[in-house]
Amino acid sequence: MARSGRLRSGAAAKLKRWRKGHSSDCNPETRQHRLAARSRFYSRPAEKSNLTVDAVKLHNELQSGSPRLERPSDSAQLRMEEDDTGEAATEKSSGTFLSGLSDCTNVTFSKVQRFWESNSAAHKEICAVLAAVTEVIRSRGGKETETEYFAALMTTLEAVESPESLAAVAYLLNLVLKRVPSPVLIKKFSDASKAFMSIISLQACSSSTSALRWVLSCLATLLRKQDLAAWSYPVTLQVYHGLLSFCVHTKPKVRKAAQYGVCSVLRGSEFMFGDAAPEHHPAAPSTAKFCVQEIEKSGGTKEATTTLHILTLLRDLLPCFPAAVVKTCCETLLRVMTLSHVLVTACAMQAFHSLFSAQASVACLPAELNAQIITALYDYVPSTSDLQPLLTWLSTMERAHINLGRLQKDLCWAHLPRLFSAAMNCFLSPHSQVVSAAAQTLETLLSECVAPHVDDLGTVSASAPAPATYLCKMFRSVEEGLTYRFHAAWDEVLRVLEVFFETCGKQCHPIMRKCLRSLCDLRLSPHFPYTAEVDQAVGAAVSAMGPEVLLEAVPLEIDGKEETLDFPRSWLLPVLRDYVQGARLGFFTSYFLPLAATLKSRAMEFTQAGKSMEAKIYDTLQWQVWTLLPGFCTHPTDVLGSFKGLARTLGMAISERPDLRPTVCQALRTLINKGCETDAEKAEVGRFAKNFLPILFNVYSQSEEDGGSSAQRRSVLDTVRAYLTITDPQMVCGFLQKASEKLTSPESSEFARHSILDLVVAMAPYADEQALGSLYRTIQPSLQSKERSMQKKAYRVLEEVCAAPHAPCQAFVHSHLQDLQTTLLESLKSAASPAKRPRLKCLFHIVKQLSAEHEPFVTALVPEVILCTKEVSVGARKNAFVLLVEMGHAFIRFGPTPQEGMQRFLLLIYAGLTGSVTMISCTVLALNRLFFEFKDHLELSVVEQLLQNVCLLLASRTRDVVKAALGFLKVTLLLVDTKLLAKHVQAMLEAVGNLSDDMRRHFRMKLRNLFTKFIRKFGFELVKGLLPTEYHKVLVNIRKAEARSRKQRALRQAAVDTDEEEAPPAQPRGDSFEEILADSEDEEEEEEERQRSKEWRKQARQKGQAWLKEGEEDEPLNFLDPNVSQRVLATKPGPKRSRGVSHDFQVSEDGRLIIHEEEDEVDNDEAKGADEEMADVLQDVGLRSKKSQKRRFREEQDDEEAEAGTYSQYRPGGSGIHRQLGKEPAFGAEYRSKKGKGDVKKKGQLDPYAYIPLNRAKLNRRKRAKMQGQFKGLMKGAQRGAKAGRRNRLKAQRP
């Protein structure tokens, strides 16, 4: 035996060592098979063994594959639930005994296929019965229909005797009965029900419940298939009552099956869905009578188990009962709730909630009964300190009122004030969940019960009659929440008020003015913590009521004549700016414009007096007033009457006030896009285009030296574009003609010509065909201009004309199509690099409209498009790929078939492989994108030819060519099917393996990524065998990284899954000798486990208990008080414990907080899957730009706007020169190590914080001494360091 290597120093203490005799403690805790085998080995069985010769013979037959219907071992447990999967076999056998059933043609039994390889004897019994029945049907020439299986299984059901076989037959019957035709079951109801009832009577007291469960399910299916006439016979009701009696069975599975069957009969009978369906099932009254009798029979007992079972049944059945029966059941529920049994009360409340949520018809729940139940439930309001019952009560009352509003609106509104008052009392609860639930209840009631009908009320005042009176009472209840008594819940009260303002503010503003004043006064109170919530509530009032009503209730108190500079209500201006809409433009003209003028004149006075601070304050206020204008232009109500009075002022502000120019331009754009909803309004605003557009043109033509900043010029150009949408086309043509004249005028400066071209780009789509022809002749020389900016803007004009959807533009393109082709081909040689992007986009729109006779033109474009795939501009590259794809679609259009068209197009592309190095790399990129887009139109031979050519290109000495070829392989791995790709794997990997050392080093990350994809697709061993030895180290590293990633992902997922789970109860101790020895090792730990187990059992016992709250202070508890039920609590009363501070940090297994540093990269939760691979491929085919090395491609409109001026789009971010300079350093960053992870000590500063992880196991008495010694060593080390430091300082101080 070889000698093991030595561990490094200090490693021994970190290793986990087994205690003597415990080397197998890592084995699984579930040892039931080993324990059973051990008990059989050491002792004889106490009772008669089931291991007989017949049982061994049956076992051998089952394993050999001969299906026979015999009784299996009695020791097998019948587990036929869908969730049971059985214990996994240690070793798969060579064949199963049911291999002959794989050709079963009936899909009903497809579920049974799961049992074929199960180790459960019950599952094998099912398969054996099915095999036998199938053989019988086939031997008699049957077609294996559901009816034949039904008849055969019913015959088998009467013949079998053993409980296991009976359960198997019943299970199969349960499957097939659901698909048997209804007439068959109606005709055979008597025989089938008699057989089922006899089995039920025999199995009722049996210890095995499987057969009984499935027979009950069969009986329910049989009853559900009967027609309405069958329910008039007493025998049908008798059979149904037999099923109903098992709803209170002591066995949970039997009871669940019976309850599910009863619900399916009452709610899912086939005749309930027909045209002549009755309002309720004929068996519903007798079912309700049974439930009431069972509750009255057992309702007064202490445990009330039967009552809980019936309440669970009623929760599903109450919506199915008729109104008279529902009333009786509800009265019974209310009587049971008086017992103050916590679980009974909760179940009864759930039954009521289910009744209201089902939105039953009037025949089931009339409005009057709904209202009576609501009134009765006020006697069962839980205490405000009782969390769960109060939440249930609020939810039930919410659904009750919503259902009542659906049935009768007036009656619902009459009951709402009382609920609002009760819900506001819940705001005083110490539980935050109750406060949130109460607020949510009020908001839901306002939106679902009040909002749909509030428009019918008109204006609501305090003296208005009902139903407006109810609305006043509701608002007063919520308004009372602003008193100091509710200060702890003010945030939720303000949220409810916000919804109230949104819902009813338009009609109820007279009764809300006092509340608005209270809100404003409350916001001005010192240290008020909910200013944001107040702003939102007041903003909701502004949106609903309008600014006029708000300013009448709460004046702005700003008039320009103030003696002090406090302005206590200046906070209203930002609120008005953010929330005003649907207001009158006339109000802004009459109120805010004079105010802004006064404030501006006051600021100028202070400026002349040399008081710069006061001048700045008033100047800011007048600017804030002007910022209200875009809000007033959002859906205004008086555009036709008020805009003409405002237009002159806006024009003067644009031309004379550069500081207001962006705001006014934004207001105009908002008015055009969101304010002009009718043709008359558009005509009214468009009427002033002759005034606004010249002003905007002049402002845009101003250079930055004249006061026109780049941001303002962009805003002006946006406004021009918006105004042109509602301008008369003849007027646009006039402006376009003047612009063309200035463009050709020698007196125009270069800046002026660029500005005019920008305006022409905006106006061109709205001109007529004649004007476009003139414009085309004007800009045609600029297409070959040596001045790059002019050439680019000329192409932009052409692009806008070709892309415009308007009829004149389309007509111009069709009439000048040949001329456009000639011009674009002639200007190819003189096209500058900045003009490539608009030129390619223009070609894209032209190619879209070409037909087969224009194929030579498309062919001539191929070299240019291929070379542009590696253009410097990101936009040009993107447009090149888009044009390339459109050319492919054009060739498919040209025909004669898509495959032949693509073949001709690819032959044109292949020519680029014979060109220069740049042309070859561009061609591979183009082929990459075409393969990605048109893979469905390429034949297999074409794909194989492409792949072979690309593999040959991998031998190139040029990095660009190899890079493009590697990208093509990556796309191929993702798109091509594995079976088709398998025969080319060797050639691909050999080509990659033959790369030179320089290429391998340069593309090491790309190769690693490619190898990862190969391994995921074809496996590690195959890839390793086909690559040279020098790649093996990389492959092994990839395999380890993949395994590590999978393991970490599984651990993270397991941590997430177990994060919220509670600790399970202690497992019972074993009785074996080894377990007793193991348990005696640590007495202290056993005591702790026993204490925890005792606490858990105590909690389980207390789950159904209730507590009685004593009287307040010294007042005795009055049991005759009608509200005494509120004293019965489901939550133990006591002092409220303070909750721990909630942090969002993860916690490790030993209790330490896991805090990620800000600069650390966070790993993704999942390995690179199909989505990330697709993102990687999209980057290679030109659909997505580089993530970190290249900036994102901006939208074309934004890009053009940036060209108009010098407005910078740059935002810092990244590393190096692109780092964020103004970033605040992270807390504790001064201690961070520059060479590694963790913190370091700094001279002259405090030590970085450290802590010792807490471990509950260290509290053990025997381990306490070790911990103390550890801390002693820690302290001694610190003391030695301090002494050494002191000595060094003394030495340094000596002369």
Side-chain angles (χ1 to χ4, degrees):
M1 181 177 178
R3 183 181 177 184
S4 61
R6 291 176 58 86
L7 295 172
R8 58 186 178 85
S9 177
K14 299 179 181 178
L15 295 176
K16 294 182 178 179
R17 298 185 179 275
W18 296 109
R19 296 198 303 272
K20 187 176 182 180
H22 288 270
S23 59
S24 64
D25 282 358
C26 64
N27 287 342
E29 296 181 0
T30 306
R31 302 189 292 248
Q32 56 179 354
H33 300 296
R34 282 181 285 172
L35 294 178
R38 186 183 301 143
S39 64
R40 284 179 178 270
F41 182 77
Y42 285 111
S43 62
R44 305 291 298 174
E47 56 186 19
K48 185 178 179 180
S49 174
N50 291 320
L51 186 61
T52 61
V53 176
D54 295 334
V56 174
K57 186 178 179 182
L58 173 64
H59 172 77
N60 293 335
E61 289 177 352
L62 292 177
Q63 295 299 323
S64 63
S66 58
R68 292 178 56 190
L69 184 58
E70 293 186 4
R71 178 180 176 179
S73 174
D74 291 337
S75 63
Q77 296 181 356
L78 192 63
R79 293 175 291 179
M80 292 178 292
E81 294 84 350
E82 292 185 6
D83 295 335
D84 286 345
T85 57
E87 293 293 331
T90 307
E91 192 174 21
K92 266 194 173 181
S93 59
S94 60
T96 64
F97 75 102
L98 286 174
S99 56
L101 280 182
S102 60
D103 57 346
C104 180
T105 59
N106 198 307
V107 297
T108 305
F109 304 105
S110 59
K111 189 182 296 186
V112 181
Q113 288 181 344
R114 299 188 303 110
F115 302 154
W116 285 9
E117 296 184 357
S118 173
N119 292 334
S120 170
H123 292 171
K124 291 184 178 181
E125 183 72 20
I126 295 174
C127 297
V129 171
L130 181 58
V133 172
T134 304
E135 288 300 325
V136 170
I137 293 174
R138 288 176 179 174
S139 64
R140 297 182 180 181
K143 298 181 180 179
E144 299 185 39
T145 63
E146 287 84 0
T147 306
E148 291 172 340
Y149 273 105
F150 167 64
L153 288 171
M154 287 300 298
T155 305
T156 309
L157 186 68
E158 298 173 356
V160 296
E161 296 179 357
S162 65
E164 292 81 6
S165 300
L166 185 63
V169 176
Y171 175 76
L172 294 172
L173 263 175
N174 174 58
L175 291 179
V176 78
L177 272 174
K178 299 171 183 177
R179 301 174 67 96
V180 175
S182 299
V184 176
L185 295 182
I186 293 174
K187 186 174 183 179
K188 293 294 182 181
F189 173 72
S190 179
D191 298 335
S193 61
K194 189 181 298 182
F196 290 152
M197 292 301 292
S198 62
I199 294 174
I200 288 175
S201 60
L202 292 175
Q203 296 289 325
C205 300
S206 175
S207 59
S208 177
T209 61
S210 295
L212 185 58
R213 289 173 53 210
W214 300 120
V215 172
L216 288 174
S217 181
C218 293
L219 191 60
T221 306
L222 184 65
L223 289 169
R224 188 158 48 88
K225 295 279 187 175
Q226 302 306 307
D227 56 6
L228 183 60
W231 287 94
S232 61
Y233 305 133
V235 64
T236 309
L237 290 174
Q238 184 180 357
V239 173
Y240 173 75
H241 288 155
L243 173 65
L244 187 60
S245 62
F246 281 89
C247 290
V248 290
H249 198 273
T250 54
K251 298 293 183 65
K253 292 183 179 180
V254 175
R255 184 173 63 250
K256 182 179 179 181
Q259 291 186 355
Y260 180 80
V262 169
C263 292
S264 66
V265 169
L266 293 188
R267 303 175 64 176
S269 293
E270 292 185 352
F271 63 84
M272 296 294 292
F273 301 99
D275 296 334
E279 293 181 349
H280 58 83
H281 198 280
S286 58
T287 306
K289 184 178 179 182
F290 168 81
C291 295
V292 172
Q293 288 176 351
E294 290 294 330
I295 291 177
E296 291 177 348
K297 188 188 306 180
S298 59
T301 58
K302 182 180 180 181
E303 293 299 330
T305 306
T306 305
T307 303
L308 293 175
H309 297 161
I310 294 297
L311 290 177
T312 305
L313 179 63
L314 282 176
R315 183 180 60 193
D316 298 324
L317 293 185
L318 268 180
C320 306
F321 291 163
V325 175
V326 170
K327 183 176 182 180
T328 305
C329 291
C330 292
E331 290 172 353
T332 306
L333 291 179
L334 293 172
R335 284 200 302 273
V336 171
M337 290 172 66
T338 58
L339 299 175
S340 298
H341 190 286
V342 174
L343 293 179
V344 170
T345 304
C347 287
M349 201 66 74
Q350 289 177 2
F352 281 122
H353 186 276
S354 174
L355 174 63
F356 297 129
S357 299
Q359 295 187 352
S361 62
V362 181
C364 172
L365 183 64
E368 294 77 11
L369 180 58
N370 193 333
Q372 290 172 5
I373 297 173
I374 289 175
T375 305
L377 287 178
Y378 281 108
D379 296 334
Y380 302 94
V381 182
S383 172
T384 54
S385 58
D386 215 358
L387 175 60
Q388 197 59 46
L390 192 53
L391 294 177
T392 307
W393 186 86
L394 283 170
S395 178
T396 304
M397 295 297 283
E398 174 189 322
R399 300 314 307 175
H401 284 77
I402 291 175
N403 190 61
L404 182 58
R406 181 180 65 87
L407 297 174
Q408 190 173 339
K409 182 259 296 184
D410 295 335
L411 197 56
C412 172
W413 278 43
H415 282 77
L416 280 176
R418 186 175 181 184
L419 180 58
F420 268 66
S421 178
M424 289 306 297
N425 290 333
C426 296
F427 281 72
L428 300 173
S429 172
H431 300 287
S432 59
Q433 299 98 313
V434 173
V435 178
S436 300
Q440 185 62 43
T441 296
L442 295 182
E443 293 171 17
T444 305
L445 291 173
L446 284 171
S447 59
E448 297 197 22
C449 297
V450 177
H453 311 288
V454 74
D455 292 335
D456 304 333
L457 297 179
T459 304
V460 177
S461 61
S463 60
T469 309
Y470 305 136
L471 203 56
C472 296
K473 291 180 180 179
M474 286 186 274
F475 185 75
R476 288 196 200 100
S477 298
V478 179
E479 188 180 9
E480 188 183 355
L482 295 178
T483 58
Y484 188 74
R485 191 161 63 105
F486 295 88
H487 73 281
W490 269 346
D491 54 339
E492 298 291 346
V493 174
L494 291 170
R495 197 155 61 93
V496 177
L497 279 174
E498 178 184 351
V499 177
F500 225 127
F501 290 146
E502 290 176 355
T503 306
C504 313
K506 189 175 182 180
Q507 289 78 17
C508 303
H509 58 83
I511 64 172
M512 295 179 174
R513 298 192 179 192
K514 178 184 175 184
C515 180
L516 288 173
R517 287 191 289 269
S518 301
L519 285 177
C520 295
D521 296 340
L522 200 60
R523 193 188 188 281
L524 296 177
S525 58
H527 308 296
F528 182 68
Y530 303 116
T531 55
E533 286 81 359
V534 170
D535 290 350
Q536 291 177 3
V538 175
V542 171
S543 299
M545 306 176 192
E548 298 180 61
V549 176
L550 176 71
L551 294 178
E552 287 178 10
V554 188
L556 196 57
E557 297 181 356
I558 299 176
D559 55 4
K561 303 176 183 178
E562 294 82 8
E563 298 180 358
T564 61
L565 299 178
D566 291 338
F567 305 111
R569 290 184 178 168
S570 60
W571 60 272
L572 283 172
L573 289 174
V575 173
L576 287 168
R577 178 199 64 205
D578 294 338
Y579 290 95
V580 66
Q581 61 177 350
R584 291 193 310 112
L585 273 176
F587 180 66
F588 182 85
T589 306
S590 61
Y591 181 82
F592 285 106
L593 275 184
L595 178 61
T598 304
L599 295 175
K600 181 63 177 176
S601 62
R602 190 75 186 274
M604 294 176 65
E605 292 175 3
F606 281 118
T607 302
Q608 294 173 358
K611 298 180 179 180
S612 59
M613 187 185 73
E614 290 84 352
K616 183 67 176 175
I617 290 174
Y618 276 99
D619 197 36
T620 303
L621 281 175
Q622 68 90 24
W623 175 79
Q624 283 186 319
V625 170
W626 271 102
T627 57
L628 305 181
L629 182 58
F632 277 90
C633 291
T634 305
H635 307 295
T637 59
D638 58 344
V639 175
L640 297 176
S642 300
F643 181 71
K644 57 186 176 183
L646 184 63
R648 179 180 176 82
T649 306
L650 298 184
M652 293 175 61
I654 291 174
S655 58
E656 299 175 4
R657 296 283 301 276
D659 57 327
L660 300 180
R661 192 173 294 157
T663 302
V664 177
C665 287
Q666 180 189 357
L668 283 175
R669 294 195 302 270
T670 305
L671 181 64
I672 294 169
N673 297 327
K674 298 182 180 180
C676 299
E677 299 176 354
T678 64
D679 293 338
E681 291 174 343
K682 291 179 181 178
E684 174 66 18
V685 179
R687 189 164 61 90
F688 292 89
K690 63 180 183 297
N691 306 108
F692 279 108
L693 286 177
I695 295 175
L696 293 171
F697 291 162
N698 293 334
V699 170
Y700 186 76
S701 301
Q702 291 179 2
S703 61
E704 295 189 12
E705 290 79 7
D706 298 334
S709 66
S710 59
Q712 289 188 3
R713 296 182 75 244
R714 293 184 62 195
S715 177
V716 169
L717 187 59
D718 288 341
T719 309
V720 169
R721 287 178 176 146
Y723 225 121
L724 286 171
T725 59
I726 59 172
T727 305
D728 182 35
Q730 295 299 324
M731 190 180 299
V732 175
C733 294
F735 287 136
L736 200 58
Q737 183 179 359
K738 293 179 181 178
S740 301
E741 294 174 359
K742 288 188 177 181
L743 194 62
T744 56
S745 173
E747 299 177 358
S748 299
S749 63
E750 181 182 357
F751 179 83
R753 287 201 301 271
H754 288 174
S755 302
I756 292 170
L757 271 178
D758 290 335
L759 296 173
V760 168
V761 169
M763 289 187 288
Y766 303 98
D768 57 18
E769 188 175 356
Q770 183 180 358
L772 287 175
S774 174
L775 176 64
Y776 175 64
R777 289 189 294 272
T778 303
I779 66 167
Q780 196 169 3
S782 300
L783 294 177
Q784 300 183 13
S785 172
K786 293 183 179 181
E787 190 179 348
R788 294 187 170 189
S789 297
M790 290 293 293
Q791 184 185 120
K792 180 178 180 179
K793 292 182 185 297
Y795 274 113
R796 283 284 294 121
V797 174
L798 205 56
E799 176 192 346
E800 288 293 328
V801 173
C802 294
H806 303 100
C809 296
Q810 297 288 337
F812 169 79
V813 172
H814 282 295
S815 60
H816 292 74
L817 192 58
Q818 193 64 38
D819 191 14
L820 285 171
Q821 295 178 24
T822 306
T823 303
L824 289 172
L825 288 178
E826 290 176 353
S827 61
L828 170 61
K829 296 180 180 179
S830 60
S833 180
K836 291 287 188 180
R837 187 186 67 82
R839 172 183 168 83
L840 291 170
K841 202 61 180 286
C842 183
L843 288 171
F844 166 76
H845 292 295
I846 291 177
V847 170
K848 241 180 182 180
Q849 305 179 22
L850 296 181
S851 54
E853 64 267 13
H854 299 100
E855 186 172 334
F857 173 70
V858 181
T859 304
L861 295 177
V862 171
E864 178 191 5
V865 178
I866 291 177
L867 285 174
C868 286
T869 57
K870 295 195 72 173
E871 190 64 44
V872 177
S873 168
V874 179
R877 293 200 301 269
K878 178 183 175 183
N879 288 349
F881 282 118
V882 172
L883 177 56
L884 190 69
V885 173
E886 185 56 41
M887 291 165 68
H889 286 297
F891 271 92
I892 290 176
R893 245 183 1 255
F894 298 163
T897 63
Q899 287 76 15
E900 293 181 9
M902 281 306 303
Q903 184 70 24
R904 292 203 314 276
F905 186 45
L906 287 178
L907 289 176
L908 298 175
I909 302 293
Y910 288 157
L913 296 176
T914 61
S916 63
V917 172
T918 305
M919 190 66 179
I920 294 174
S921 62
C922 292
T923 304
V924 176
L925 285 177
L927 289 172
N928 202 355
R929 178 61 180 272
L930 290 175
F931 178 49
F932 180 82
E933 292 287 344
F934 300 103
K935 57 183 179 297
D936 297 332
H937 297 292
L938 297 179
E939 296 179 354
L940 182 60
S941 59
V942 176
V943 176
E944 292 178 346
Q945 183 184 3
L946 271 175
L947 196 55
Q948 292 171 2
N949 292 333
V950 170
C951 289
L952 292 176
L953 290 175
L954 283 173
S956 173
R957 297 181 180 180
T958 308
R959 289 179 176 177
D960 285 346
V961 177
V962 175
K963 179 181 178 182
L966 290 175
F968 187 88
L969 292 184
K970 191 189 302 182
V971 175
T972 306
L973 279 174
L974 182 66
L975 298 182
V976 181
D977 185 53
T978 307
K979 295 179 181 178
L980 300 177
L981 203 61
K983 54 183 176 181
H984 299 284
V985 174
Q986 184 174 357
M988 294 165 67
L989 289 177
E990 286 180 357
V992 174
N994 292 331
L995 289 176
S996 63
D997 294 341
D998 176 66
M999 293 293 182
R1000 199 172 68 227
R1001 281 192 301 269
H1002 184 74
F1003 295 114
R1004 57 186 179 276
M1005 294 308 298
K1006 282 187 174 294
L1007 288 174
R1008 181 186 179 90
N1009 190 5
L1010 192 63
F1011 291 153
T1012 303
K1013 290 177 170 57
F1014 269 110
I1015 290 173
R1016 289 174 181 171
K1017 209 170 186 73
F1018 298 104
F1020 174 79
E1021 296 298 334
L1022 177 63
V1023 177
K1024 182 180 178 182
L1026 295 176
L1027 283 175
T1029 310
E1030 53 264 25
Y1031 288 99
H1032 289 182
K1033 187 176 181 181
V1034 178
L1035 297 179
V1036 172
N1037 185 270
I1038 291 173
R1039 182 173 63 174
K1040 290 181 179 180
E1042 290 282 298
R1044 185 165 56 249
S1045 176
R1046 286 194 299 270
K1047 182 178 179 181
Q1048 291 175 353
R1049 189 167 65 252
L1051 290 175
R1052 284 195 297 269
Q1053 186 62 36
V1056 171
D1057 293 340
T1058 59
D1059 192 20
E1060 301 294 333
E1061 293 182 0
E1062 297 179 354
Q1067 296 291 333
R1069 299 294 184 183
D1071 296 329
S1072 65
F1073 182 71
E1074 291 83 355
E1075 288 174 332
I1076 294 174
L1077 290 179
D1079 294 338
S1080 62
E1081 285 279 328
D1082 198 341
E1083 296 178 359
E1084 291 81 11
E1085 293 183 5
E1086 179 185 6
E1087 183 65 26
E1088 292 174 2
E1089 289 292 333
R1090 193 180 295 115
Q1091 289 293 335
R1092 285 196 294 271
S1093 178
K1094 181 189 267 187
E1095 290 293 329
W1096 185 84
R1097 288 196 299 270
K1098 182 179 178 182
Q1099 293 176 6
R1101 285 198 308 268
Q1102 291 178 351
K1103 189 174 181 180
Q1105 293 182 358
W1107 284 265
L1108 193 64
K1109 186 178 179 181
E1110 297 292 344
E1112 301 293 338
E1113 299 178 353
D1114 296 332
E1115 180 183 353
L1117 180 60
N1118 182 12
F1119 284 98
L1120 298 179
D1121 189 355
N1123 294 326
V1124 72
S1125 62
Q1126 298 184 14
R1127 299 287 186 177
V1128 181
L1129 306 180
T1131 310
K1132 184 176 181 180
K1136 183 181 178 182
R1137 294 184 178 180
S1138 61
R1139 298 178 181 173
V1141 179
S1142 174
H1143 58 76
D1144 293 330
F1145 298 123
Q1146 298 177 355
V1147 183
S1148 63
E1149 294 181 357
D1150 54 359
R1152 291 179 294 175
L1153 297 179
I1154 302 175
I1155 303 175
H1156 295 285
E1157 298 181 356
E1158 291 183 4
E1159 284 80 9
D1160 292 347
E1161 293 184 359
V1162 181
D1163 294 331
N1164 291 332
D1165 290 341
E1166 298 183 359
K1168 201 168 190 180
D1171 292 340
E1172 294 188 359
E1173 290 186 4
M1174 179 59 75
D1176 203 8
V1177 167
L1178 292 179
Q1179 177 180 318
D1180 283 324
V1181 299
L1183 284 174
R1184 182 173 295 180
S1185 59
K1186 298 289 185 182
K1187 296 177 182 176
S1188 58
Q1189 300 173 359
K1190 303 278 186 180
R1191 64 178 175 82
R1192 292 280 184 183
F1193 174 68
R1194 298 193 303 270
E1195 294 294 332
E1196 298 169 2
Q1197 181 177 357
D1198 295 338
D1199 194 16
E1200 174 56 29
E1201 290 168 358
E1203 295 162 7
T1206 58
Y1207 183 72
S1208 175
Q1209 290 281 333
Y1210 176 73
R1211 295 291 181 273
S1215 59
I1217 63 173
H1218 302 288
R1219 67 188 183 277
Q1220 178 83 34
L1221 295 177
K1223 184 178 180 182
E1224 291 290 333
F1227 183 73
E1230 61 270 18
Y1231 294 106
R1232 187 163 298 152
S1233 174
K1234 296 181 180 179
K1235 297 181 180 180
K1237 293 186 176 181
D1239 296 335
V1240 294
K1241 293 186 177 183
K1242 295 289 185 179
K1243 186 175 181 181
Q1245 297 185 19
L1246 299 174
D1247 287 349
Y1249 179 77
Y1251 66 93
I1252 298 171
L1254 302 178
N1255 191 351
R1256 188 175 61 185
K1258 305 297 183 184
L1259 298 176
N1260 189 283
R1261 197 184 312 155
R1262 291 185 294 105
K1263 298 177 182 177
R1264 201 172 298 163
K1266 179 181 177 182
M1267 290 293 294
Q1268 291 174 352
Q1270 177 182 349
F1271 288 121
K1272 286 179 181 176
L1274 185 68
M1275 295 301 296
K1276 287 179 181 178
Q1279 290 169 358
R1280 284 196 299 269
K1283 289 180 181 178
R1286 192 180 304 114
R1287 285 197 300 269
N1288 292 335
R1289 285 195 300 272
L1290 291 175
K1291 288 180 182 179
Q1293 293 174 0
R1294 291 174 184 171

